[in-house]
Amino acid sequence: MRKPNLVWRLLAILAVFSLIVAACGDDDEGTGETTTAAPTTTEAPTTTAAPTTTTTTTLPEPEGQAPVEGAAMSVTYNIHPDATWSDGVAVTAADFAFSHEIIMNPDLDILSREGNNKIINWEIIDDKTIRFDFGEVYAPWQTLWATTGILPEHELDGKDFDSYWDEQITLGSGPFIFKEWVKDQQIVLERNPNYWRDTFVDGTPVGDVQTIIIPFLEDSQTQVQALRGREIDMFYPQPQLDLVEQVAGIEGVTSEAGLGPVWEHFDFNHSDPLLSQTFIRQAIAKGIDRAAIVEAIIQPLAPAAVPLNNSIWMNGTAFYQDHFSQFDYDPVGAEALLTDNGCAKGGDGVYECGGERLSFTWTTTAGNEARELQFEIAQQQLAQIGIEVTPKFGPASEVFADENFYGDNSAWQVFNFAWVGSPDPAGSNTLYYCEGDAPNGFGSINNLRYCDEEVDALIRSTDGLVDPAARAAAYNEADEMWLAEVPLIPMYQKPTFFAWYTDIVGPADNATQVGPMWNVEAWTGAEQIVFGADQQPDSLNQYTPDGNLFAATLVAGAVQQGAYTILPDFSYVPNLIESADVTLYEE
Amino acid sequence: MLIFFGMSLVTDPISQIRLVPDVSQQTIQNIVDRKHLDDPVIVQYGFWLKDVFTNQFGTTMLGDKPIWPDLSRAMWQTAQLVLVAEFIAVAIAIVLGVLAAKKQYSFFDYATTTISFFGFSVPIFWFALILQWLTVSLFLATGFRLAYTFGLSSPDPANWFIDRLQHMILPVTALAYVSIAQYSRYMRSSMLDVLHSDYVRTAKAKGLSDRTVTMKHALRNALIPLVTVVALNVGALLGGVVITETIFAWPGMGKLFITALARAELYTLMAWMLVAGVIIIVFNLLADILYAALDPRIRYE
């Protein structure tokens, strides 16, 4: 990864300092609490300089009064004055408003409306300024249009959005434009001749890559051989040990392993009479050597990987705190917990508590080597402390079916899978909710059937905390309380793996949803690049439910731009906008 | 119907988006309504059946995309692969089988037997990977790209035909090798039976040349069991050569099936099964017709 020079570092420090001063100072214009969208680049370890384009602007709202009835918060986007679409038309406030209207159109199949569904009003201030008014304070407002692009009104208005961009992206604001999708073969992108920026958001000058070809090849061994024979220049496969070793042996190829917001965990079903008892869950946690599992399965792929000790903030990010190492491997302590609570070992070496054997089914996705291996390790370790687990594996379509996933202890007892998180944790809040629209009656992703009212209240409060530090503190307080009860065992962040030929300069892993194209405009060293993707997308439209396959992410990353983008350190930086201002209103 | 019921009972076709933490419930409901997922399975089956006959197998579960374009492309791409591979396999297997039978217990016979058993016993995925490795190694050593390791064709090829051939070499070789191993054994066995039959002995006694006896009298009759096996085999292969297509990223029926299965795309799976079933039935019928054409006794009976 390129390291910023001294000038950029100083500019970054100056920019962030000015933002902190602005955020902490009295706000004469706003009525409530005003916080400028300060990127968090200084709070997380990063080698990328903060953008210098973020500035504070004055909001036009009258003092002491919300712009519309019921508004609790406004976000005003100041669109970059140079931002244009690939046809040369300026990106305007109307495009932002149109994007919101598309997302909220109930007749369209939009994958997520989160955040947009809290907007009660919008107003175009001028061509390059738009204000969105929220009916409630929405702290994760930066997540709006960070992983999905702003849509061009003049191109899409009147078209059937559900289908028009399925097989083509006719217009974009990114450094590349979509050229063609030859079905079953490849997608071709070309340099955007009207690209509006001279540098990437971190100041790196734009590169000279003219064409990107994305062919589809699923088998990992084929990917390796294709890379070895330079039929492809780079790929981003699911990391496996033998694949990583083979790539390391290819001359001229370098690779990077990243740790993203996808985290593996062992869940407990709290409808189970035994697993609903805290000391049993704690004993299981202490009986599993997470460090050994990480060392055996993950570190060969990503040497920096360590057990995850927080269920909300990922390791290495600004707000990460250790809340789970208290349950590090301690087999003696685990057995002590059991015996202290009246459990006794049966003749077969398995403990019985209240006459019930500590024997549980262990569900995971069949055919996943890493999960089967970590089950075997956990099974052996738990057997040593007198707890039995037996496999109950099944295909993903079966184990994640509602009837099983949200089922009671007759469906599953211990369940190993991974949550696909996000740099901003708000999307996973419902995991902690005691009530919600999940088939089991809990929060929509609370398959655990675990409820802690205090944690629930704390997590719900975070949506109203715009101040990043206060919000993070609330999250961490909730996480500490939650993990102390061991409703699940957080294991580790799943690594990503990115390999490319070193004559191409600029690629670097970004393990967030933005993906490896995050800085594609800065790549140099080749006129044409072939980026092997695992499979053909169903749709190129990232807004729709079937537009989330990897190849579609690659296309979107190069062709479309959102208000913000996310850097590898999980920080949000302005992309299509110059800055954004948040205003909170008194009730 | 059994498959539809079975799949509907054990899988949740929209499970992959249900687990997106902030998924829109409105969109889920749109899909549920569009695909009648709240109705009893028998009603869903009825809607599917209606789509099969009136709407070219209908649309996919999540994206509401028409199934037929993908399915028809996959059929054509698998057909290219299988027909070329089987044509080559049959041609080579006949030569090998006839020569092995004619030179029974010779070095050539033992050699073809050994190679055939190797073909029977080697897993095709391993053989395919070896082919890829050898091809890439050849390229790295000489700079000459004999074949590509994946896909249908290159972007903007200088010569479309040669480029397609370069992409077909490896999957066709992998498929043909396994078929050659099987067919050559049938051919040898069948040829031996015929060569020891009375009418061949009579033909030889009449003074016909060995070539005439072999080619005109023995071969035609020896082909009868092979034709049956090939017709049945081609029918099964056209349904998709899952491993070969996956390894060589050949977007055919096998790849379509695996992808649909992984995504629990019930309607695509059902369309695949229906088409694959029809292909197998057609080729079974074809085998019977060819059998009758080659063996006059069948017609008379």
Side-chain angles (χ1 to χ4, degrees):
Chain A
M1 183 185 285
R2 290 175 65 90
K3 290 194 172 182
N5 60 30
L6 187 61
V7 175
W8 281 111
R9 286 179 191 219
L10 286 171
L11 284 172
I13 292 167
L14 278 171
V16 173
F17 179 73
S18 66
L19 294 171
I20 291 169
V21 170
C24 295
D26 289 336
D27 180 25
D28 292 331
E29 266 97 26
T31 54
E33 174 192 352
T34 302
T35 309
T36 304
T40 56
T41 44
T42 53
E43 293 160 340
T46 176
T47 54
T48 310
T52 54
T53 52
T54 304
T55 54
T56 312
T57 56
T58 303
L59 291 178
E61 272 68 59
E63 196 169 350
Q65 198 176 355
V68 291
E69 190 181 344
M73 175 182 123
S74 293
V75 175
T76 303
Y77 290 106
N78 304 298
I79 302 164
H80 200 290
D82 298 334
T84 54
W85 298 104
S86 50
D87 59 0
V89 174
V91 177
T92 65
D95 296 318
F96 277 63
F98 178 75
S99 303
H100 167 69
E101 294 297 327
I102 283 282
I103 290 171
M104 291 313 297
N105 183 341
D107 296 329
L108 295 175
D109 282 351
I110 301 296
L111 182 62
S112 173
R113 296 184 166 90
E114 188 64 24
N116 274 279
N117 57 4
K118 295 176 171 39
I119 293 172
I120 58 171
N121 177 59
W122 53 264
E123 185 180 337
I124 293 175
I125 312 295
D126 59 43
D127 262 5
K128 290 285 185 179
T129 313
I130 184 169
R131 190 192 69 240
F132 288 101
D133 302 318
F134 292 71
E136 57 189 86
V137 176
Y138 184 61
W141 60 273
Q142 278 183 312
T143 59
L144 299 178
W145 298 296
T147 55
T148 48
I150 292 293
L151 303 170
E153 184 194 30
H154 68 286
E155 171 66 13
L156 293 172
D157 195 21
K159 308 278 194 331
D160 178 7
F161 186 69
D162 265 344
S163 61
Y164 185 56
W165 270 11
D166 268 346
E167 297 186 2
Q168 57 180 352
I169 302 292
T170 50
L171 205 60
S173 55
F176 285 80
I177 54 172
F178 172 87
K179 184 187 176 193
E180 63 174 343
W181 176 359
V182 183
K183 278 292 179 91
D184 299 329
Q185 296 182 49
Q186 70 265 330
I187 291 169
V188 182
L189 310 177
E190 280 185 343
R191 195 102 201 163
N192 177 359
N194 292 321
Y195 188 47
W196 58 280
R197 215 199 295 267
D198 296 326
T199 61
F200 178 54
V201 292
D202 68 352
T204 313
V206 293
D208 52 11
V209 176
Q210 298 301 313
T211 308
I212 297 175
I213 298 166
I214 304 170
F216 319 119
L217 59 165
E218 187 166 0
D219 183 77
S220 59
Q221 288 303 321
T222 304
Q223 291 171 340
V224 171
Q225 292 306 323
L227 187 71
R228 185 169 155 251
R230 199 135 193 195
E231 289 175 63
I232 58 175
D233 297 305
M234 55 181 62
F235 74 147
Y236 199 80
Q238 293 286 332
Q240 303 161 36
L241 186 52
D242 60 337
L243 180 144
V244 171
E245 286 171 353
Q246 287 180 67
V247 169
I250 300 176
E251 198 178 336
V253 170
T254 188
S255 62
E256 221 177 79
L259 294 169
V262 180
W263 57 288
E264 196 85 359
H265 47 90
F266 301 158
D267 285 6
F268 297 118
N269 195 320
H270 292 256
S271 71
D272 186 274
L274 291 173
L275 292 174
S276 63
Q277 299 178 59
T278 304
F279 76 92
I280 293 177
R281 301 194 301 271
Q282 290 174 333
I284 293 174
K286 288 189 171 197
I288 295 175
D289 190 348
R290 296 185 305 145
I293 291 175
V294 171
E295 187 180 344
I297 297 173
I298 304 303
Q299 281 181 353
L301 309 173
V306 290
L308 182 64
N309 289 316
N310 195 306
S311 72
I312 293 171
W313 301 107
M314 295 295 103
N315 203 345
T317 58
F319 301 120
Y320 178 81
Q321 289 179 2
D322 177 353
H323 296 146
F324 203 77
S325 61
Q326 58 183 310
F327 300 110
D328 276 352
Y329 188 49
D330 177 12
V332 176
E335 286 203 66
L337 268 171
L338 297 175
T339 51
D340 290 351
N341 284 279
C343 305
K345 229 172 204 174
D348 57 358
V350 175
Y351 274 96
E352 290 185 4
C353 301
E356 294 289 325
R357 286 178 80 241
L358 294 188
S359 176
F360 308 104
T361 59
W362 183 292
T363 295
T364 194
T365 43
N368 183 317
E369 279 180 37
R371 285 182 182 156
E372 288 178 1
L373 181 58
Q374 64 198 16
F375 162 74
E376 286 169 18
I377 296 172
Q379 186 184 42
Q380 288 171 10
Q381 290 170 347
L382 290 174
Q384 287 167 9
I385 62 161
I387 294 175
E388 181 181 73
V389 286
T390 53
K392 190 183 178 187
F393 303 163
S397 56
E398 187 180 310
V399 297
F400 292 120
D402 271 7
E403 298 75 26
N404 189 74
F405 185 71
Y406 291 108
D408 61 16
N409 61 332
S410 63
W412 62 273
Q413 290 174 300
V414 182
F415 196 162
N416 169 207
F417 65 100
W419 280 121
V420 181
S422 154
D424 190 287
S428 299
N429 281 2
T430 59
L431 175 63
Y432 307 88
Y433 287 177
C434 294
E435 288 179 10
D437 52 11
N440 58 15
F442 290 80
S444 64
I445 61 168
N446 185 353
N447 64 318
L448 307 166
R449 295 170 177 249
Y450 179 74
C451 169
D452 181 324
E453 299 283 357
E454 212 172 336
V455 170
D456 178 306
L458 266 169
I459 293 287
R460 286 180 193 271
S461 76
T462 58
D463 262 358
L465 296 171
V466 176
D467 174 36
R471 183 165 174 251
Y475 267 127
N476 270 326
E477 188 183 347
D479 187 67
E480 188 171 14
M481 290 165 61
W482 199 68
L483 284 182
E485 296 295 311
V486 198
L488 55 69
I489 300 175
M491 289 300 294
Y492 51 81
Q493 290 163 259
K494 291 185 82 168
T496 54
F497 184 73
F498 188 15
W500 66 92
Y501 274 92
T502 50
D503 52 9
I504 301 165
V505 179
D509 191 19
N510 185 330
T512 72
Q513 289 92 328
V514 175
M517 292 285 198
W518 67 286
N519 64 343
V520 64
E521 62 250 66
W523 294 0
T524 60
E527 189 163 315
Q528 175 177 294
I529 286 175
V530 182
F531 195 135
D534 56 352
Q535 49 186 306
Q536 178 164 242
D538 290 330
S539 166
L540 294 177
N541 188 342
Q542 278 213 301
Y543 280 93
T544 57
D546 60 346
N548 57 354
L549 289 179
F550 179 63
T553 308
L554 292 180
V555 174
V559 172
Q560 296 175 278
Q561 290 184 322
Y564 282 85
T565 189
I566 308 171
L567 297 184
D569 63 1
F570 291 23
S571 61
Y572 289 78
V573 293
N575 202 6
L576 265 183
I577 61 168
E578 204 172 28
S579 65
D581 302 312
V582 179
T583 304
L584 303 182
Y585 304 109
E586 290 169 347
E587 288 185 15
Chain B
M1 183 187 277
L2 281 176
I3 293 167
F4 190 95
F5 274 66
M7 288 287 294
S8 297
L9 289 174
V10 301
T11 64
D12 176 6
I14 47 177
S15 60
Q16 50 183 313
I17 64 162
R18 266 192 217 281
L19 291 180
V20 175
D22 51 8
V23 66
S24 164
Q25 296 303 316
Q26 173 73 55
T27 296
I28 288 181
Q29 195 55 48
N30 287 352
I31 297 169
V32 167
D33 293 344
R34 186 166 64 228
K35 293 296 180 189
H36 313 281
L37 298 179
D38 275 346
D39 290 332
V41 180
I42 185 74
V43 177
Q44 295 177 39
Y45 181 73
F47 279 110
W48 174 76
L49 212 54
K50 183 183 160 207
D51 270 349
V52 169
F53 292 109
T54 64
N55 194 20
Q56 294 184 323
F57 297 105
T59 57
T60 56
M61 182 69 69
L62 291 186
D64 204 26
K65 312 274 186 321
I67 290 170
W68 177 244
D70 286 347
L71 189 63
S72 55
R73 272 202 324 277
M75 283 164 64
W76 165 235
Q77 281 145 13
T78 292
Q80 285 178 59
L81 193 62
V82 168
L83 295 179
V84 172
E86 289 298 285
F87 179 79
I88 293 170
V90 169
I92 294 174
I94 289 173
V95 173
L96 291 180
V98 169
L99 290 177
K102 290 283 290 180
K103 299 174 189 294
Q104 192 179 14
Y105 305 131
S106 66
F107 173 78
F108 180 83
D109 186 24
Y110 288 128
T112 52
T113 302
T114 305
I115 293 169
S116 295
F117 280 117
F118 190 68
F120 273 123
S121 53
V122 168
I124 193 164
F125 75 88
W126 182 85
F127 184 59
L129 293 176
I130 293 295
L131 285 176
Q132 286 179 328
W133 185 85
L134 287 173
T135 309
V136 173
S137 298
L138 175 71
F139 169 70
L140 293 175
T142 65
F144 171 64
R145 199 180 291 283
L146 173 68
Y148 291 100
T149 57
F150 75 93
L152 278 177
S153 59
S154 310
D156 299 326
N159 183 312
W160 183 89
F161 183 72
I162 292 174
D163 181 74
R164 179 58 62 96
L165 276 183
Q166 284 179 299
H167 282 84
M168 289 185 81
I169 286 176
L170 298 190
V172 163
T173 305
L175 268 184
Y177 180 53
V178 176
S179 294
I180 289 169
Q182 183 187 3
Y183 298 160
S184 64
R185 300 312 297 162
Y186 272 106
M187 194 62 215
R188 177 185 178 276
S189 169
S190 173
M191 196 68 186
L192 281 174
D193 282 348
V194 173
L195 287 175
H196 292 111
S197 63
D198 291 341
Y199 71 88
V200 168
R201 202 173 300 120
T202 305
K204 283 180 181 171
K206 281 164 67 181
L208 293 175
S209 70
D210 187 55
R211 181 184 168 84
T212 307
V213 169
T214 303
M215 299 303 291
K216 207 167 180 184
H217 295 271
L219 181 59
R220 181 168 173 174
N221 284 303
L223 278 175
I224 293 172
L226 182 68
V227 166
T228 312
V229 172
V230 171
L232 295 176
N233 207 25
V234 169
L237 290 176
L238 283 175
V241 276
V242 173
I243 295 171
T244 308
E245 288 180 356
T246 302
I247 290 178
F248 293 108
W250 191 271
M253 291 286 279
K255 189 90 170 37
L256 182 79
F257 173 78
I258 287 294
T259 305
L261 191 65
R263 297 180 196 167
E265 259 297 347
L266 177 61
Y267 298 110
T268 306
L269 280 174
M270 291 300 295
W272 182 93
M273 284 178 199
L274 195 63
V275 167
V278 168
I279 291 173
I280 288 172
I281 291 168
V282 166
F283 273 82
N284 272 293
L285 186 66
L286 191 66
D288 289 343
I289 293 168
L290 284 172
Y291 201 90
L294 289 168
D295 187 349
R297 290 170 299 178
I298 303 293
R299 274 173 290 176
Y300 297 145
E301 287 165 9

